[in-house]
Amino acid sequence: GADALRIFQERADEIGCVLLDLTMPLMDGAATFEALRQIRPQVKVILSSGYDQREALGRFAGPPPAGFIQKPYTFEALRVALQRLLEGETKAQ
């Protein structure tokens, strides 16, 4: 989490979305997500977890991540999640 935040802070303008795991050592996905939102409030995040979507997203206070993908996932499932996220961004503009 801390490494991701450092990179995001340095390159936030170059990063279109973040694939974030819920369970990470030292700084979990929920804490990392909140810190990312402090840097860029409208950051687009796809949460990845072995927990089901309801349980995983229930750990977030405030607006949840924009997308969810349950582990284990295939490349095709990741492609679809990214496409949905980016198409939603295009429709909102």
Side-chain angles (χ1 to χ4, degrees):
D3 289 339
L5 287 174
R6 180 184 48 75
I7 292 167
F8 189 77
Q9 189 146 22
E10 292 170 1
R11 305 181 80 167
D13 293 339
E14 301 170 42
I15 298 173
C17 67
V18 175
L19 178 61
L20 181 64
D21 199 309
L22 180 62
T23 307
M24 299 183 296
L26 304 179
M27 184 177 205
D28 71 8
T32 303
F33 178 68
E34 290 305 316
L36 289 169
R37 287 176 36 120
Q38 293 295 316
I39 298 167
R40 192 169 84 204
Q42 300 305 319
V43 62
K44 301 293 183 191
V45 174
I46 296 174
L47 179 68
S48 171
S49 178
Y51 295 105
D52 68 34
Q53 184 172 358
R54 194 177 93 222
E55 185 176 355
L57 294 179
R59 296 174 184 224
F60 292 83
F68 178 81
I69 188 166
Q70 188 162 4
K71 296 190 298 185
Y73 54 86
T74 64
F75 177 77
E76 179 63 15
L78 177 58
R79 185 192 66 74
V80 168
L82 286 168
Q83 185 175 12
R84 284 185 187 148
L85 181 74
L86 297 175
E87 283 178 358
E89 186 175 285
T90 301
K91 289 177 186 174
Q93 293 178 355

